[in-house]
């Protein structure tokens, strides 16, 4: 069974901390963090149906485009910001990372790995990758800034962002040994705890 | 739906924010549904500028309630589950004490001598009503526009008596542009030759033209450019259904009709008083809003509408940011809304689901 993101990042989330989740979806993650860590969490989401679900769960939510939302809530003092599977959809992922680390002490970022071997096979055959993690065609996808694990870590280095912890997820949704040995080839997703 | 309308007398009177005192006053109150045994299902609805106690259902005097689209059996605010309370605010003209009611001390119409009230005074008088109804905590206090300002003020003034607040198409204070619009409305009333400096009752006239013009202007600010364009466009009014001979466009006829209708129902002094309540409100009392929200315990649902240019979504966002800086569990959602500022009055799928989910969560 796949591990839940809330379980992976559980140790990274301080009790009673103030958390903002960019691209929070239906609010499940914040709800779990509220139950496990008593966090005060706010979600940022653009989809009305997902926002209704957040409110139904009692998860406070702000309707905003993440690209804009990052600029809007600059003054807030969060302990942790989260951006799960969304950074590759933003116009300026590099600016977004820096902004997140301005408005919170630490941030959690998860991203799909374009270096995963099945993506490479797709590319080698001359086609844009379509995998269970990246199921959309190039013309339909919201992922406009895909990168590999290596690319992302290079960006962190360039921006002086330190990687405090990281976890790699394999195609079964677990932390397999292969994805630990060579994440850039075997991980479908990287989960990072970042600090500046 | 069990619906009751009654005039409630408060012989103890009320000290107003201005320092003046009303020695006694009446509130016209309407309730829907029934209070449960635990008294945990009470909801207070606060009306906007020209609204009144009649929020839902149908009445002979006031027709269909102002929030009937959202309030009723099995509706967004379900009167089968909740005991919903709405009152005509002090200074209004739908039964509660106001400029057009009789001053008990002189047995004459108050007129201009009715003291200026405020959002805080309204909330304080609603708290007195709450005590009289033996309700300890509102499950939900909600309103749009000026009603949203009351919901916000409730959470500030009585943090232990509000669980959730719904603040829709509202702001923590009026902008300079809002005040300017209201001043044009007031000026048109004051300059009506039948106004008689507010003592028109003695002359047995009403400053009808003044109220009409004021309402026509107000009405424009409640709608959006898009809404007006799609509804009226540049269509001409057909001869047969013209309200005024001089009009040619349909939008002119519509405004004439709306203004005319309103001028016969609404008291001019109340109009001036209500606009001043709106203008003078500042939740932060000249200080940053974030300080005013320090003791708030209620959860917020703030909704703004893109088509609203009177209290644009930006104003709601200011409340959201101040709320987040106070660790208030607050949500802020902007919806398209097809009716400009008035969008808060109309039911739409998302708006309705948000409110229901918020109340039930």
């Amino acid at each position: 069974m796949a591990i839940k993101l809330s379980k992976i990042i559980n140790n990274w989330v301080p009790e009673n901390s103030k958390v903002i989740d960019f691209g929070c979806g239906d609010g499940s993650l914040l709800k779990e963090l509220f139950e496990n860590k008593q966090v005060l969490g706010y979600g940022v989401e653009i989809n009305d149906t997902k926002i209704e679900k957040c409110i139904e769960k009692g998860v406070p939510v702000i309707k905003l485009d993440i690209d804009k939302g990052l600029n809007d809530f600059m003054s807030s003092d969060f302990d942790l910001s989260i951006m799960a599977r969304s950074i590759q959809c933003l116009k300026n992922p590099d600016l977004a990372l820096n902004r997140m680390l301005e408005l919170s002490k630490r941030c959690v970022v998860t991203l799909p790995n374009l270096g995963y071997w099945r993506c490479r096979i797709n590319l080698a055959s001359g086609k844009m990758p379509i995998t269970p993690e990246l199921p959309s065609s190039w013309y339909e996808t919201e992922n406009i800034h895909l990168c590999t694990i290596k690319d992302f870590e290079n960006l962190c280095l360039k921006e002086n962002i330190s990687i405090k912890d990281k976890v790699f997820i394999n195609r079964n949704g677990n932390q397999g040994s292969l994805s630990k040995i060579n994440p850039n080839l075997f991980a479908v997703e990287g989960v990072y705890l970042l600090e500046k | 739906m069990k619906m009751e309308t009654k005039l409630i007398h408060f012989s103890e009177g009320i000290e107003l924010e201005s320092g003046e005192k009303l020695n006694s006053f009446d509130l016209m109150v309407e309730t829907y549904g029934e209070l449960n045994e635990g008294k945990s299902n009470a909801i207070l609805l606060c009306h906007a500028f020209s609204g009144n106690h009649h929020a839902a259902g149908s009445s002979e005097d006031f027709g269909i309630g102002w929030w009937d689209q959202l309030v009723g059996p099995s509706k967004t605010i379900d009167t089968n589950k909740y005991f919903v309370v709405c009152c005509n605010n002090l200074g209004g003209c739908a039964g509660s004490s106001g400029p057009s009611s009789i001053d008990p001390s002189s047995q004459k119409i108050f007129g201009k001598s009715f003291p200026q009230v405020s959002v805080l005074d309204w909330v304080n008088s609603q708290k007195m009503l709450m005590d009289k109804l033996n309700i300890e905590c509102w499950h939900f206090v909600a309103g749009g526009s000026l009603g949203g300002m009351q919901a916000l003020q409730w959470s500030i003034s009585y943090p232990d008596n509000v669980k959730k607040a719904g603040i829709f198409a509202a702001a923590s204070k009026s902008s300079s542009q809002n005040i300017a619009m209201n001043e044009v409305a007031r000026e048109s009333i004051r300059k009506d030759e039948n106004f008689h400096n507010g003592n028109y009752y003695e002359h047995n006239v009403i400053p009808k033209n003044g109220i009409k013009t004021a309402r026509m202007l107000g009405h424009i600010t409640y709608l959006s450019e898009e809404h007006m364009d799609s509804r009226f466009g540049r269509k001409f009014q057909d001869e047969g259904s013209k309200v005024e001979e001089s009009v040619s466009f349909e939008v002119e006829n519509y405004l004439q009709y709306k203004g005319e209708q309103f001028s016969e129902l609404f008291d001019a002094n109340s109009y001036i008083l209500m606009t001043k309540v709106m203008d003078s409100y500042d939740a932060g009392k000249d200080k940053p809003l974030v300080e005013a929200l320090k003791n708030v315990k209620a959860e917020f649902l703030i909704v703004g509408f893109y088509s609203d240019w009177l209290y644009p979504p930006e104003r709601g966002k200011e409340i959201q940011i101040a709320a987040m800086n106070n660790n208030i569990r607050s949500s802020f959602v902007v919806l398209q809304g097809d009716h400009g500022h008035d969008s808060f009055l109309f039911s739409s799928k998302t708006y309705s689901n948000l409110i229901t989910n918020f109340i039930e969560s």
Side-chain angles (χ1 to χ4, degrees):
Chain A
M1 210 184 84
I3 339 167
K4 278 186 166 177
L5 183 59
S6 62
K7 213 157 199 187
I8 298 171
I9 68 169
N10 201 45
N11 293 332
W12 302 348
V13 184
E15 297 260 345
N16 299 307
S17 56
K18 194 169 171 180
V19 178
I20 188 159
D21 183 359
F22 291 100
C24 67
D26 66 4
S28 302
L29 177 62
L30 283 174
K31 172 104 179 160
E32 284 170 52
L33 294 180
F34 173 73
E35 280 161 5
N36 302 336
K37 297 280 183 168
Q38 292 76 50
V39 302
L40 169 67
Y42 297 90
V44 175
E45 181 54 58
I46 191 73
N47 179 292
D48 283 344
T49 312
K50 288 174 182 170
I51 288 170
E52 288 171 22
K53 295 249 167 69
C54 290
I55 303 268
E56 194 176 17
K57 290 188 176 81
V59 171
V61 62
I62 304 147
K63 182 176 171 181
L64 270 178
D65 190 322
I66 308 176
D67 272 313
K68 289 179 190 140
L70 278 162
N71 292 321
D72 268 337
F73 293 95
M74 286 291 282
S75 63
S76 298
D77 51 333
F78 291 94
D79 298 298
L80 188 74
S81 55
I82 299 170
M83 192 176 287
R85 296 174 193 139
S86 297
I87 196 159
Q88 75 282 357
C89 307
L90 302 187
K91 279 186 194 135
N92 303 101
D94 52 338
L95 298 182
L97 271 181
N98 282 308
R99 289 244 196 276
M100 284 170 80
L101 286 165
E102 274 168 34
L103 60 90
S104 62
K105 290 179 201 91
R106 289 177 159 198
C107 77
V108 170
V109 171
T110 87
L111 67 155
N113 174 27
L114 197 69
Y116 175 54
W117 65 270
R118 283 173 73 169
C119 296
R120 297 191 197 196
I121 287 176
N122 272 255
L123 279 169
S125 69
K127 285 179 183 167
M128 276 299 280
I130 293 185
T131 66
E133 295 72 35
L134 300 168
S136 306
S137 303
W138 66 272
Y139 48 85
E140 289 171 329
T141 183
E142 292 176 325
N143 303 327
I144 54 171
H145 282 120
L146 284 166
C147 69
T148 68
I149 293 291
K150 211 183 235 175
D151 290 330
F152 182 74
E153 293 188 2
N154 282 341
L155 175 66
C156 291
L157 202 65
K158 180 179 159 269
E159 299 290 331
N160 286 322
I161 293 167
S162 64
I163 297 170
K164 304 306 284 184
D165 208 344
K166 54 186 174 183
V167 171
F168 298 106
I169 310 295
N170 68 14
R171 55 189 282 204
N172 300 320
N174 293 315
Q175 303 174 57
S177 51
L178 278 178
S179 62
K180 258 186 203 155
I181 298 162
N182 191 344
N184 204 34
L185 192 59
F186 293 110
V188 293
E189 188 174 11
V191 184
Y192 290 89
L193 178 66
L194 308 172
E195 201 180 88
K196 192 154 189 174
Chain B
M1 171 174 64
K2 190 182 171 196
M3 173 170 157
E4 279 184 86
T5 314
K6 53 192 162 192
L7 190 67
I8 299 182
H9 184 65
F10 295 83
S11 55
E12 63 272 46
I14 186 171
E15 294 262 2
L16 302 171
E17 201 180 358
S18 65
E20 286 186 78
K21 193 180 175 194
L22 273 174
N23 291 323
S24 68
F25 67 93
D26 297 320
L27 287 182
M28 187 60 101
V29 182
E30 202 156 275
T31 64
Y32 316 92
E34 283 177 85
L35 190 62
N36 64 13
E37 256 180 54
K39 294 173 182 170
S40 60
N41 68 334
I43 289 179
L44 176 70
L45 305 181
C46 305
H47 70 74
F49 170 66
S50 60
N52 53 43
H53 56 280
H54 182 51
S58 179
S59 89
E60 277 188 16
D61 293 330
F62 298 98
I64 302 288
W66 56 270
W67 229 9
D68 189 66
Q69 289 204 2
L70 285 97
V71 183
S74 306
K75 292 188 185 176
T76 305
I77 297 172
D78 187 350
T79 51
N80 291 330
K81 283 187 189 167
Y82 296 100
F83 176 63
V84 179
V85 179
C86 185
C87 72
N88 182 215
N89 284 327
L90 270 182
C93 51
S96 294
S97 297
S100 56
S101 51
I102 305 283
D103 179 352
S105 65
S106 67
Q107 289 302 315
K108 284 185 180 161
I109 291 177
F110 272 108
K112 257 185 75 177
S113 72
F114 192 84
Q116 181 60 48
V117 292
S118 68
V119 167
L120 179 63
D121 297 331
W122 285 350
V123 168
N124 287 338
S125 64
Q126 289 158 359
K127 175 67 170 60
M128 292 167 77
L129 170 65
M130 181 188 199
D131 294 340
K132 214 155 232 183
L133 297 172
N134 283 317
I135 295 164
E136 277 154 29
C137 186
W138 297 113
H139 179 70
F140 184 46
V141 176
S145 190
L146 190 50
M149 289 171 161
Q150 293 162 62
L152 175 63
Q153 189 57 46
W154 256 101
S155 69
I156 295 170
S157 295
Y158 299 103
D160 293 317
N161 305 95
V162 190
K163 253 180 95 180
K164 298 175 186 213
I167 301 161
F168 309 139
S172 67
K173 59 184 169 205
S174 285
S175 71
S176 183
Q177 191 190 39
N178 297 148
I179 297 169
M181 294 285 186
N182 282 338
E183 179 56 12
V184 177
R186 285 189 290 263
E187 181 69 1
S188 81
I189 293 173
R190 287 192 296 245
K191 287 290 149 67
D192 186 311
E193 56 177 14
N194 285 333
F195 185 58
H196 295 290
N197 202 23
N199 295 316
Y200 45 88
Y201 317 94
E202 291 169 12
H203 297 81
N204 270 323
V205 288
I206 51 168
K208 202 166 171 266
N209 291 332
I211 312 171
K212 183 177 165 182
T213 311
R215 185 58 171 184
M216 286 167 80
L217 172 72
H219 214 84
I220 299 167
T221 67
Y222 307 149
L223 303 178
S224 68
E225 188 182 10
E226 262 186 333
H227 176 71
M228 286 178 104
D229 265 341
S230 70
R231 186 159 168 190
F232 310 109
R234 295 180 51 81
K235 276 181 279 189
F236 290 107
Q237 185 62 40
D238 57 53
E239 289 298 323
S241 51
K242 272 188 181 181
V243 177
E244 285 275 325
E245 269 196 35
S246 59
V247 307
S248 45
F249 288 104
E250 207 171 285
V251 64
E252 295 173 306
N253 197 57
Y254 172 80
L255 284 178
Q256 290 283 352
Y257 171 73
K258 281 285 177 187
E260 187 73 26
Q261 194 189 30
F262 187 80
S263 68
E264 282 160 12
L265 297 172
F266 212 85
D267 177 62
N269 281 320
S270 275
Y271 200 105
I272 292 177
L273 178 140
M274 292 282 184
T275 55
K276 293 229 161 161
V277 171
M278 209 187 304
D279 291 357
S280 62
Y281 185 60
D282 178 2
K285 300 248 170 283
D286 298 327
K287 281 189 243 149
L289 182 61
V290 65
E291 286 176 39
L293 300 186
K294 253 181 200 149
N295 298 319
V296 170
K297 291 180 185 165
E299 287 177 37
F300 286 174
L301 173 64
I302 304 165
V303 179
F305 299 93
Y306 287 118
S307 60
D308 180 359
W309 57 278
L310 194 63
Y311 290 137
E314 254 333 271
R315 301 284 87 77
K317 201 177 83 188
E318 288 162 8
I319 305 174
Q320 174 69 15
I321 291 175
M324 284 168 79
N325 285 331
N326 276 297
N327 296 344
I328 296 168
R329 295 169 60 81
S330 180
S331 293
F332 171 59
V333 184
V334 187
L335 302 175
Q336 181 49 45
D338 292 328
H339 297 85
H341 181 59
D342 271 351
S343 296
F344 77 86
L345 293 167
F346 298 89
S347 181
S348 73
K349 185 177 155 280
T350 306
Y351 185 40
S352 171
N353 286 346
L354 286 175
I355 297 173
T356 304
N357 289 357
F358 182 67
I359 307 173
E360 311 260 307
S361 70

